[in-house]
Amino acid sequence: MIFKHLFTPKWKHPKAAVRLAAVDKLDTGKDAEALHALALQDSSAEIRKKALHKVNDLVLWWQAYKQDQSLKELAEQHISSAVLNENENLSDDIRSEYIDKYAPTKLLEKLAFSEKETQTRVKLLKRLANAKLIERAFKEGAEPLQIALLPLIEQYQLDKAVLKSANGAALSEIQNRLEHQRLAKEMPKQVQQQTKMVLAKLNALREKSDYQGVDEQAKALLLQWQEIELKWLDEEEMKVVDDKFALINQKLAVHLAKLENDFDAQQAKAQALQAKEQAILQLSDAYNALERQLTEAVASLDENKNQQLESKVSELKSQIEGSEFSQTGELVLLNKQLLQLEQQLHQIPDLVGANKRMQESLAALEQIVPTTEVAQLDDTLVQQKQAYEQCKEVLRQLPASLHKPASERLHALSKQFKQAMAALIDEQQSQLKQARRKGKDVQRLLDQGRFNVAFGVFNGFLEHYEKLTPNNQQQLEKLHTSLNEALTEVRDWQKYAATPKRAELLAKLDEKLAETDIDPKQRAKDVKLLRVRWNELGRIDTEEEKAQAEQFDKKIELLFAPCREFFAEQEQQREEAKQARTQIIEQMQALAQQDMQSDGFDWRQFEAQFNRLLKQWRTSGSVDGAVYKTLSAEYKTHHNAVNERLKSYHKANAKLKQQLVDQAQQQLESDDLAQACEQLKTLQKQWQTIGFAGSKQEHALWQNFRAYNDAVFAKRSEQFEQQKQQQFVQESEQQAQLDAFASVLHNDLSELQLEQLGNEVSQLQLLPSMKKLQAALLDKIAQLQQKLLVKKDQQKYDELILALEQGSELPSQWLQGAKVNELSAHQLLLRLEIIADIDTPEADKSQRMVEQVALLDAKLQGAQVSFEQCLSEYLSAYSSQIDSARLLTVLKR
């Protein structure tokens, strides 16, 4: 046996430690076969591991992964690393097989983003079936990958999520799909509305009776029907719509056929009526021509055309009598008119005479020349009126055929004369009107006792009165006489009453001068009133009146003296207000000249300064009207310049904020409310960076923007509440499931029942909030399983102890069959005592130390030596050499 080990290669030595040391000495070239055998066939996992590391061949690692459970995890690390790093030594077959059958999800995820081949990446993503990974790959990928991922994007409904990241053809395809989705959502309703409208209009045509209108509208509606995209409707809806259309179209066709027959009959009737009207029109034109010829004959005083006209009248009479429409009312009337014309033919000599007299009267009227002198106005108007009346008298004697042209000429001559005289006549009427008004004013003033004013107004009345012609003055003669007499009487009475009143006013002045509490404004009003009353007393004629007038002037001047200082202060304040307004204008001008295109221009400060100047202008003191007009014009120039810039600025801000409002409104239609809320938060920050949009726009824009924000956040809250409610329901259901499993869990369950129950609990797909309860239930099941296992193990040991005590046959479960063991029975027994921490007899102390070192070395080498393993080897290999007493001591520890 010893010689056998001497000639056997070290890597085949029965001791693992020897084989392990031999691995280091083997050459990867000439000893490749031995290393391969060790790597795949050696019984020691440590040796297989060392051999694999030494050879470091991916094929061997692959074989180890497939057949060596102990080293499978290590082998997988090497294979997965080679796959990820695209190691050239890894064959495509192994790589493909590993990816297709064995690769874990995390590796597939890494490959999906590291793989260069587009189709492979698509294949991996399809296998992973993870929407987030597909979305990420699409967003990070180039156009070819995006195109290849389009089917997956459509499958997982990610079109909206990746739209902004799409490029080229992928972008076009997604846009088309989204547009198709939008149309598929909107078009059925729109198509239904279109079909209802067209069918309703077609059906309504059956109530109309205008054939041409109905026919034209029906053709237009049929064309509209053909343009409707019925493909958006499902088969059932399309069949219903087609049936309705066929029924309505059939009924409309019957209605159109009936209308067409009626229309044809009406057309025939209209053609007959048109022929009648044409015949009547031709005969009427012939009559009118004869009438004009008769008029021309009379106007030209030509009696030689009489015979010729009689011949034409006879011919026209024959045509009327021979017409098929001769009995109609129009031709009957025309025939009567023709008889009258025939009578007039016989009266041509008389008509010629009457026409001659009319022409002479019109010539006489035309000879009257309009005048421009007021003195000749009355005579000229009388002459024109007489000539006009003469023309009207002769005009009544003319026949109807000659009446119209003569009347038109008379009207023209009269109009011409009136236009020439209009200015002079209007002037007279204006003077007459003003004189009447002045006369009424004088009478009113006399009635009110305002005699001094009445005298002045009467002078104005006389100015207008004297500019009138005698005929017009005659209209005011009575008014002129009565006013003149009344004013003469007033003048006499006023002279008598004025003397005592002047004395009263002088006394009133003395009273006012004695006052100490003076209100300048009221004093100025009093001075003005006293002056008015003094002037109302009339003219100053006598020496006494002149002396009184001199006293009044001195005293009124003294009375007004305190007002002068007050008004001087007022003037100073107006001057200060003028200076203040001038400074405001200068500041406004400087504001208008600022460069608003410069970087960092502060619009907020600019607008605040503008509003401050505007407020200062409104609150500045009063100035003289003329001065204010000048200053205001200059101020408005600069104010408008600044205001226009602010308006442009506000308009631009309003446009930007309107865009934010539109974007906020779009979020209402978003399916991803969480993303919509984030977008709204971004929009709110953008809103804060945009300036003021003007007092009219700012509030309205903000209200709209806020309304859309509130609506989206409300929808989000509602969705959250719904999810919370759904989660509560699911948690309740899952809690009920866990409670049901917990209710059947008790100590009497068998190992198989516990295992089955544990599998069922672990397979439950629970919410994250319920995972702890699931884990707790699984722990309880595991505890019961562990108790059952401990109980089973304890029973096994109890049976062994009983057999040793009774000296009977050992239980078969402890016997592993005849197996050569490298350790002796004594060594195994010592190891059992060491593991069980039982004292060893004094004689075996040194040997116990050796075994302790061996156990420690094995542990350092990675070997696991258990109590049960040592006991099983001891009982199996040395059943005939068992030291029952020492073993029972160990077992009863």
Side-chain angles (χ1 to χ4, degrees), residues 46 853-864:
E46 184 68 24
V853 172
L855 285 173
L856 181 61
D857 182 59
K859 187 175 183 180
L860 293 174
Q861 293 295 330
Q864 297 293 331

Side-chain angles (χ1 to χ4, degrees), residues 478-544:
K478 185 177 180 181
L479 178 62
H480 174 265
T481 303
S482 64
L483 291 178
N484 191 29
E485 292 176 353
L487 288 173
T488 301
E489 183 180 354
V490 167
R491 188 178 292 109
D492 295 339
W493 177 87
Q494 192 179 42
K495 197 72 173 175
Y496 171 77
T499 302
K501 286 189 177 181
R502 286 193 178 95
E504 291 178 4
L505 286 178
L506 290 172
K508 185 69 173 179
L509 274 174
D510 293 334
E511 293 177 4
K512 290 290 183 182
L513 287 170
E515 292 179 356
T516 56
D517 187 9
I518 301 173
D519 181 0
K521 292 184 178 180
Q522 184 61 39
R523 174 63 64 85
K525 292 180 181 179
D526 293 340
V527 169
K528 185 176 181 181
L529 180 61
L530 290 169
R531 177 70 72 178
V532 170
R533 289 182 178 177
W534 181 268
N535 291 333
E536 287 177 351
L537 297 178
R539 297 174 55 184
I540 304 298
D541 295 327
T542 66
E543 291 298 328
E544 183 183 358

Side-chain angles (χ1 to χ4, degrees), residues 86-101:
E86 297 183 357
N87 195 321
E88 296 179 353
N89 296 325
L90 182 66
S91 66
D92 293 339
D93 293 340
I94 295 175
R95 188 173 190 274
S96 299
E97 184 178 358
Y98 176 72
I99 291 174
D100 293 341
K101 295 182 179 180

Side-chain angles (χ1 to χ4, degrees), residues 232-482:
W232 296 105
L233 301 177
D234 55 37
E235 294 182 1
E236 183 177 354
E237 291 177 339
M238 190 179 297
K239 185 177 183 306
V240 172
V241 169
D242 286 339
D243 292 342
K244 289 183 178 179
F245 172 74
L247 179 61
I248 293 175
N249 193 35
Q250 181 182 1
K251 293 180 178 179
L252 181 60
V254 173
H255 181 64
L256 269 174
K258 181 180 179 182
L259 290 180
E260 185 177 9
N261 293 333
D262 296 342
F263 177 75
D264 291 342
Q266 291 175 0
Q267 286 293 100
K269 186 177 180 181
Q271 290 175 359
L273 181 60
Q274 185 177 4
K276 173 186 173 182
E277 292 176 351
Q278 184 67 26
I280 293 174
L281 180 62
Q282 290 177 355
L283 293 173
S284 298
D285 290 342
Y287 170 80
N288 293 332
L290 278 175
E291 189 177 26
R292 285 194 299 272
Q293 291 175 13
L294 176 61
T295 303
E296 291 173 0
V298 173
S300 61
L301 306 178
D302 186 1
E303 300 179 10
N304 298 325
K305 294 182 179 180
N306 191 17
Q307 185 176 359
Q308 182 181 359
L309 291 173
E310 288 180 352
S311 175
K312 289 183 178 181
V313 168
S314 299
E315 183 180 355
L316 181 58
K317 190 175 181 180
S318 300
Q319 291 178 0
I320 293 174
E321 293 174 351
S323 174
E324 60 178 320
F325 307 111
S326 59
Q327 299 303 318
T328 59
E330 293 87 346
L331 290 187
V332 170
L333 179 61
L334 188 61
N335 196 23
K336 290 180 180 180
Q337 292 175 347
L338 191 58
L339 292 175
Q340 294 175 0
L341 187 62
E342 190 175 11
Q343 292 175 1
Q344 291 178 10
L345 281 174
H346 300 298
Q347 300 173 357
I348 281 181
D350 297 333
L351 294 175
V352 169
N355 188 39
K356 184 177 180 180
R357 290 192 300 274
M358 186 66 202
Q359 297 303 323
E360 291 174 352
S361 300
L362 289 173
L365 179 62
E366 190 174 6
Q367 292 300 319
I368 299 174
V369 180
T371 183
T372 57
E373 300 294 335
V374 177
Q376 300 175 5
L377 178 61
D378 289 343
D379 295 338
T380 303
L381 290 177
V382 170
Q383 293 175 11
Q384 194 272 345
K385 185 175 181 180
Q386 292 175 353
Y388 183 81
E389 292 296 334
Q390 178 63 29
C391 290
K392 290 287 285 183
E393 182 66 26
V394 177
L395 183 63
R396 295 189 188 96
Q397 302 173 9
L398 289 178
S401 58
L402 298 177
H403 189 281
K404 184 177 180 181
S407 177
E408 290 176 352
R409 187 180 176 196
L410 176 61
H411 179 72
L413 290 174
S414 177
K415 184 178 180 182
Q416 181 180 355
F417 178 82
K418 288 180 180 179
Q419 289 176 347
M421 297 292 291
L424 191 58
I425 293 174
D426 290 344
E427 174 65 20
Q428 283 293 299
Q429 290 298 320
S430 176
Q431 294 291 342
L432 183 63
K433 184 177 180 181
Q434 292 184 46
R436 283 197 178 101
R437 187 174 67 251
K438 292 286 186 180
K440 290 181 180 179
D441 291 341
V442 172
Q443 187 63 53
R444 176 175 52 80
L445 291 169
L446 289 173
D447 294 339
Q448 295 175 353
R450 300 170 63 185
F451 305 122
N452 289 334
V453 181
F455 282 114
V457 177
F458 182 71
N459 291 333
F461 168 79
L462 290 178
E463 290 179 5
H464 296 298
Y465 180 79
E466 291 171 357
K467 292 179 181 179
L468 295 174
T469 63
N471 288 342
N472 289 330
Q473 285 182 351
Q474 190 175 0
Q475 298 181 40
L476 300 177
E477 184 62 30
K478 185 177 180 181
L479 178 62
H480 174 265
T481 303
S482 64

Side-chain angles (χ1 to χ4, degrees), residues 574-584 623 631:
R574 285 194 288 271
E575 182 63 27
E576 293 175 356
K578 176 183 176 182
Q579 297 299 326
R581 290 183 182 274
T582 302
Q583 292 179 2
I584 293 173
V623 295
L631 293 176

